[in-house]
């Protein structure tokens, strides 16, 4: 178990270093910070002084190491548009993004898991087919189409909900539903597959042949085993929620990190982009690590098997 | 050299084409027992010596799993040995580890015929293209037309009809596929052809044809051959000299006539006795005991748990392979100087082959 | 916007009966070619025709303004056949723009998928050939790429690279290479152990010949199936980024770019947005249906 833990931690760390390095390269390649900050018309001595002050005259690997040092101290540069530190600019948006992604995640699970389980238990009935047909949506309807169609119906035609902004709770409903429904479709499809896999196992048939009540078989054997593969998709869900937030916040003018990212990219506000990338990277690595550890904890047999295949 | 080394093969005059000394290949394995199974060492080949003269055919027999295929791959330099030395044409063979240009160039002089011809052919390529492939690899300057012409000539030489040229491997019979493999192996006229159970996967009715073809081709082009089979009859037909393997070692060696008529090693005796002979209902002495396990082979003589005549010494002391007058045997009970039944020394190349099959 | 692996799919029921009646024949036909697949194939064929002949098919120039014919609704919503899908607020014909957008989006997705396949196959083969350290490095790259949602990677790269159609297409080519690399590495390692690859290696063939002349054709069907699963994802990604205004730039138009533009007229002229949105959904659905069908038919191991 310790070996598994260490190897997973090591992998997560390597991924983080790769992400930070990518951010460094992006920042360094995107022009001379001296010119960016001082403007193109400053006297040459000013540039030299600036470079000396910020360590830009040092060899690139020194800068690279220092960059890691700065990140470790939370120094991530200033927003070019705003003057405040990038961390501050991004930080104030985080609660807004959490306010729609967390409920959306809950919605994913609350709709997706029961729908998938129900479909698997009623395999090949019309209910199963309907759920599966609906879940195809999760793979083929992009979130911006889903969001706009929902806005068209509920904001434009029915006028039940506002189509954009963040003043009241009702403003959050459309963004949450958009992300919630798409993710639920993915989870439903995956859960159904995992359930069917377990239902086909010999020990399930043995258990039901032994006279156990079907409900006991499901609760005692099928669900716990189907939970294992379903766990793996949580990491994936975090990723798709993050990507979804970028689009959905833009559609509904929701002032979260995603919309900030889009404007920062359009304005080439690199410090802000960098902070968001690092933040998302850390979240993703953390989520994947948590899933891996939970996986190893739920099913010790799989530890080494997964190590080999990974 | 004052005292002759009894364990080394007698070298006669010219340098042998292939010379193998102390060759071993060990695989670390995990013994059954779940995740924490005891690690063990599988000695697939465990210290063998032999020489192969130009144009000579050495037959290698033994039960399945005794290390014949591993020996073949080692001899060809396809896998690196754990210990020992291989000299080809008097020089050490290029290391297989990196499969660099020198190693690849060496392939031109040593080729292989596989047990499963269908597996050895690319099922998405016509057979003429596959037979022509050695030219593309080793003589890329050959014009395409010429390479195809030579491939067509090879098809003819191995008895494949010209109209089969565009066929895919799955459109041929097993015997025809093996002919394709043989044609491809001989395209560049190698000095050494290793045949690893070349007919075991074929119908009995086809086996003789393919064996005769190989014999014909050898008579015409004069390649030396390491010929592997678990079937004594086949080896007897093809080989100038035979080595019997058991658990990764050679336990007896000699000319096929004498070895099969009067085997000296109890294991070889059991093998010979097990060959069904028309008119006799059952084998006289069957091998008893468990089939050998090359992991943690027993100390002493590896054959002693199954040997019908084992003595106490056999369990502790390993019998060396002693050579005398063209025969060699590794058994404590073998006559100190096995009398050669016939005065044939190591048979000359292209010796007449007995019609035993 | 990447698909997760689907651990199972339904075992198809065995083809029924040996009685050759017309009805059984029809049933056998539809079992081999389900109606959904036929419809999907027809749609993709239509798209390909559009890609090939967009300028000839389009009734108007997609850039042509007609200020007298602004915001005309499509047929069925009060419009007429002069503009079957209506016009936008500059009087540009929506159908013509849609045709041009399908062409641009499909070509970008196709080129990007090709890039991803080339990259993935090369890296996968490199890993399979070198094993050891090179393989570890490639696997690490694969892991790192898989750990970040590609949408975010693309946004970061766009912030740095700025906008250019060529760079955008290449950037999208980095989507999904890691899946193809993983698959080709696995397949190549398996193939190396197989007789035919070992046999050509024993002939003295160079790695180049072994991998590209022998192994690649043998694993091509699996790779094509996995590329067919990549394609709709690239379409979604392209349209998502274009929708955000960070992908294809006007005056050129793509499906996502059209939806993004139509979003401003969602109140007054929803058809501007609905036509390209429907095209996106139908196209990705069609390719997914075909991809799943190919997978079940030719490669049940790839799930
Ligand atoms: N790559 C390998 N890893 C582990 N064991 C092997 C490997 N190759 C062969 N062996 C083992 O070595 C022994 C000899 O195998 P082989 O040379 O193929 O025998 P033969 O050809 O005489 O049947 C067998 O027990 C086999 O299981
Ligand atoms: S050495 Fe002993 S055990 Fe081995 S074969 Fe000879 S008699 Fe049998
Ligand atoms: Mg063998």
């Amino acid at each position: 178990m310790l070996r598994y833990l260490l190897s997973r931690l090591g992998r997560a760390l390597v991924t983080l270093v790769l992400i930070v390095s990518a951010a460094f390269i992006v920042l360094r390649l995107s022009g001379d910070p001296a010119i960016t900050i001082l403007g193109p018309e400053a006297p040459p001595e000013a540039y030299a002084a600036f470079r000396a002050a910020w360590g830009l005259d040092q060899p690139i690997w020194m800068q690279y190491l220092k960059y890691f040092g700065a990140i470790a101290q939370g120094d991530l540069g200033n927003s070019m548009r705003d003057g405040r530190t990038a961390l501050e600019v991004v930080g104030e948006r985080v609660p807004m993004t959490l306010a729609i992604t967390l409920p959306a995640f809950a919605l994913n699970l609350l709709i997706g898991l029961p729908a998938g389980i129900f479909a698997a238990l009623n395999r090949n009935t019309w209910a199963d087919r309907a759920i599966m047909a609906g879940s195809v949506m999760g793979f083929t309807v992009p979130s911006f189409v889903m969001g706009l169609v929902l806005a068209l119906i509920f904001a434009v035609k029915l006028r039940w909900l506002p189509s954009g902004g963040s003043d009241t709770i009702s403003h959050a409903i459309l963004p949450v539903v958009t992300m919630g429904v798409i993710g639920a479709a993915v989870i439903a499809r995956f859960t159904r597959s995992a359930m069917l896999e377990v239902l086909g196992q010999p020990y399930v048939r043995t258990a039901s042949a032994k006279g156990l009540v079907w409900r006991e078989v499901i609760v005692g054997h099928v669900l716990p085993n189907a939970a294992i593969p379903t766990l793996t998709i949580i990491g994936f869900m975090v990723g798709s929620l993050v990507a979804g937030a970028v689009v959905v916040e833009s559609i509904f003018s929701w002032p979260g990190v995603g919309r900030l990212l889009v404007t920062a990219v359009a304005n080439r506000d690199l410090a802000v982009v960098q902070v968001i990338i690092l933040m998302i990277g850390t979240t993703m690595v953390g989520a994947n690590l948590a899933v891996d550890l939970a996986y190893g904890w739920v099913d010790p047999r799989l530890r080494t098997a997964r190590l080999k295949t990974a | 050299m004052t005292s002759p080394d009894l364990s080394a093969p007698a070298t006669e005059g010219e340098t042998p084409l292939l010379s193998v000394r102390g060759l071993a290949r060990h695989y670390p394995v995990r013994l059954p027992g779940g995740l924490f199974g005891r690690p063990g060492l599988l000695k697939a080949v465990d210290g063998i010596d032999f020489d192969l003269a130009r144009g000579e055919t050495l037959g290698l027999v033994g039960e399945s799993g005794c290390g014949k295929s591993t020996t073949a791959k080692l001899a060809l330099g396809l896998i690196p040995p754990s210990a020992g030395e291989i000299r080809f044409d008097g020089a050490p063979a290029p290391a297989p580890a990196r499969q660099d240009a020198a190693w690849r160039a060496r392939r031109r002089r040593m080729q292989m015929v596989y047990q499963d011809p269908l597996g050895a052919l690319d099922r998405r390529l016509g057979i003429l293209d596959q037979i022509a492939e050695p030219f593309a690899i080793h003589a890329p300057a050959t014009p395409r037309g010429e390479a195809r012409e030579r491939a067509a000539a090879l098809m003819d030489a191995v008895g494949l009809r010209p109209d089969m040229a565009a066929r895919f491997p799955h459109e041929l019979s097993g015997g025809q596929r093996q002919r394709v493999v043989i044609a491809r192996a001989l395209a560049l006229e190698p000095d050494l052809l290793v045949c690893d159970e070349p007919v075991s996967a074929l119908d009995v009715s086809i086996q003789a044809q393919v064996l005769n073809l190989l014999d014909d081709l050898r008579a015409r082009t004069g390649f030396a051959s390491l010929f592997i089979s678990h079937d004594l009859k086949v080896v007897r037909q093809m080989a100038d000299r035979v080595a019997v393997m058991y658990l990764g070692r050679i336990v007896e060696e000699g000319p096929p006539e004498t070895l099969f008529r009067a085997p000296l090693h109890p294991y070889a005796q059991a093998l010979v006795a097990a060959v069904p002979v028309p008119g006799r209902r059952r084998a006289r002495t069957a091998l008893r005991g468990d089939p050998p396990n090359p992991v943690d082979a027993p100390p002493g003589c590896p054959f002693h748990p199954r040997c019908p005549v084992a003595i106490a010494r056999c369990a502790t002391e390993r019998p060396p392979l002693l050579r005398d007058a063209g025969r060699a045997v590794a058994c404590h009970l073998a006559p100190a100087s096995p009398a050669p039944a016939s005065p044939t020394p190591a048979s000359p190349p292209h010796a007449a082959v007995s019609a035993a099959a | 916007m990447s698909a997760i692996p689907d651990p199972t799919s339904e075992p198809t029921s065995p083809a029924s009966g040996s009685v050759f009646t017309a009805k059984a024949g029809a049933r056998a036909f539809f079992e081999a070619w389900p109606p959904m697949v036929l419809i999907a194939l027809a749609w993709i064929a239509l798209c390909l025709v559009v890609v090939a002949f967009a300028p000839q098919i389009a009734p108007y120039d997609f850039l042509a303004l007609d200020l007298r014919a602004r915001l005309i609704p499509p047929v069925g919503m009060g419009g007429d056949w002069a503009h079957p899908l209506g016009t936008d607020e500059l009087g540009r014909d929506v159908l013509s723009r849609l045709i041009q957008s399908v062409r641009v989006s499909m070509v970008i997705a196709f080129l990007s998928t090709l890039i991803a396949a080339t990259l993935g196959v090369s890296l996968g083969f490199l890993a399979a050939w070198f094993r050891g350290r090179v393989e570890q490095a490639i696997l690490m790259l694969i892991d790192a790429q898989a750990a970040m949602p590609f949408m975010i990677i693309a946004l970061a790269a766009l912030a740095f690279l700025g906008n250019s159609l060529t760079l955008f297409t290449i950037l999208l080519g980095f989507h999904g290479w890691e899946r193809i690399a993983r698959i080709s590495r696995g397949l190549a390692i398996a193939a190396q152990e197989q007789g035919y690859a070992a046999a050509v290696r024993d002939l003295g063939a160079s790695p180049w010949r072994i991998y590209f002349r022998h192994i690649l054709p043998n694993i091509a069907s699996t790779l094509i199936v996995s590329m067919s699963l990549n394609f709709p994802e690239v379409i979604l990604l392209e349209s998502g980024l274009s929708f955000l205004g960070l992908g294809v730039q006007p005056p050129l138009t793509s499906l996502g770019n059209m939806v993004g533009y139509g979003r401003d007229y969602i109140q007054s002229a929803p058809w501007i947005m609905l036509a390209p949105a429907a095209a996106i959904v139908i196209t990705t659905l069609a390719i997914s249906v075909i991809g799943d069908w190919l997978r079940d038919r030719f490669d049940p191991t790839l799930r």
Side-chain angles (χ1 to χ4, degrees), chain A:
Chain A
M1 185 65 201
L2 190 67
R3 241 193 78 184
Y4 175 79
L5 200 84
L6 288 179
S7 105
R8 289 287 132 186
L9 272 174
R11 220 168 246 267
L13 215 64
V14 167
T15 310
L16 260 187
V17 168
L18 277 178
I19 292 171
V20 172
S21 308
F24 173 79
I25 293 169
V26 166
L27 233 73
R28 275 300 169 274
L29 290 185
S30 56
D32 187 341
I35 298 176
T36 314
I37 302 291
L38 300 178
E41 253 108 67
E45 307 83 60
Y47 287 137
F50 181 88
R51 291 200 181 104
W54 293 93
L56 297 173
D57 48 355
Q58 288 165 349
I60 191 84
W61 58 268
M62 265 308 272
Q63 296 185 33
Y64 182 61
L65 290 181
K66 287 203 164 164
Y67 179 75
F68 271 93
I71 287 180
Q73 288 165 21
D75 173 9
L76 292 157
N78 291 343
S79 161
M80 274 161 48
R81 297 283 140 182
D82 190 302
R84 291 182 295 157
T85 69
L87 208 53
E88 215 176 312
V89 173
V90 177
E92 72 184 16
R93 302 289 195 103
V94 170
M96 290 307 283
T97 292
L98 290 180
I100 55 169
T101 45
L102 291 182
F105 188 51
L107 205 59
N108 290 167
L109 297 176
L110 283 177
I111 302 176
L113 289 177
I117 293 170
F118 183 81
L121 294 180
N122 297 284
R123 184 180 180 181
N124 288 340
T125 62
W126 66 265
D128 176 27
R129 293 208 186 89
I131 291 175
M132 279 307 101
S135 87
V136 170
M137 218 173 55
F139 294 97
T140 54
V141 180
S143 50
F144 64 90
V145 168
M146 174 72 77
L148 286 180
V149 170
L150 289 179
L152 182 63
I153 297 172
F154 293 102
V156 176
K157 296 289 173 209
L158 300 175
R159 298 187 175 279
W160 288 354
L161 292 166
S163 67
S166 60
D167 305 328
T168 65
I169 294 268
S170 63
H171 283 93
I173 292 179
L174 283 180
V176 168
V177 170
T178 303
M179 286 193 282
V181 167
I182 288 185
V186 176
I187 291 191
R189 197 181 163 98
F190 199 88
T191 307
R192 174 177 179 275
S193 298
M195 286 282 292
L196 287 180
E197 189 118 298
V198 179
L199 283 171
Q201 296 294 316
Y203 64 82
V204 172
R205 278 183 253 129
T206 316
S208 48
K210 272 192 309 200
L212 285 180
V213 183
W214 187 232
R215 176 186 300 277
E216 288 169 6
V217 175
I218 298 295
V219 174
H221 296 268
V222 179
L223 286 182
N225 283 293
I228 292 167
T230 306
L231 245 182
T232 50
I233 127 169
I234 302 295
F236 169 81
M237 288 311 300
V238 173
S240 66
L241 273 174
V242 167
V246 171
V247 171
V248 169
E249 288 179 4
S250 296
I251 294 176
F252 295 106
S253 313
W254 185 265
V257 178
R259 187 152 158 251
L260 178 65
L261 178 59
V262 174
T263 36
V265 169
N267 296 333
R268 308 190 71 179
D269 191 346
L270 294 168
V272 171
V273 173
Q274 174 203 229
V275 169
I276 297 177
I277 299 298
L278 291 180
M279 188 179 277
I280 294 175
T282 316
T283 311
M284 287 301 299
V285 169
N288 282 326
L289 185 65
V291 167
D292 276 340
L293 295 185
Y295 211 94
W297 175 66
V298 172
D299 191 349
R301 279 170 308 152
L302 288 171
R303 266 172 232 149
T304 40
R306 264 175 61 83
L307 267 181
K308 267 188 236 137
T309 54

Side-chain angles (χ1 to χ4, degrees), chain B residues 99 107 114 119 122 133 138, chain C residues 195-196 202-203 209 214 218:
Chain B
Q99 309 201 337
R107 299 302 109 213
Y114 307 85
D122 188 333
E133 191 149 23
H138 292 287
Chain C
Y196 75 92
D202 297 354
L203 283 177
R209 173 175 280 272
H214 291 281
N218 275 280

Side-chain angles (χ1 to χ4, degrees), chain B residues 251 264-267 300-311 313-315 317-319 330-334:
Chain B
V251 293
L264 297 172
H265 194 279
Y267 174 65
C301 173
F303 188 54
H304 83 259
R306 299 168 84 190
C307 181
V309 293
I311 53 175
R313 191 174 155 213
C314 300
E317 197 182 318
R318 167 178 299 178
C331 172
H332 292 309
L333 294 191

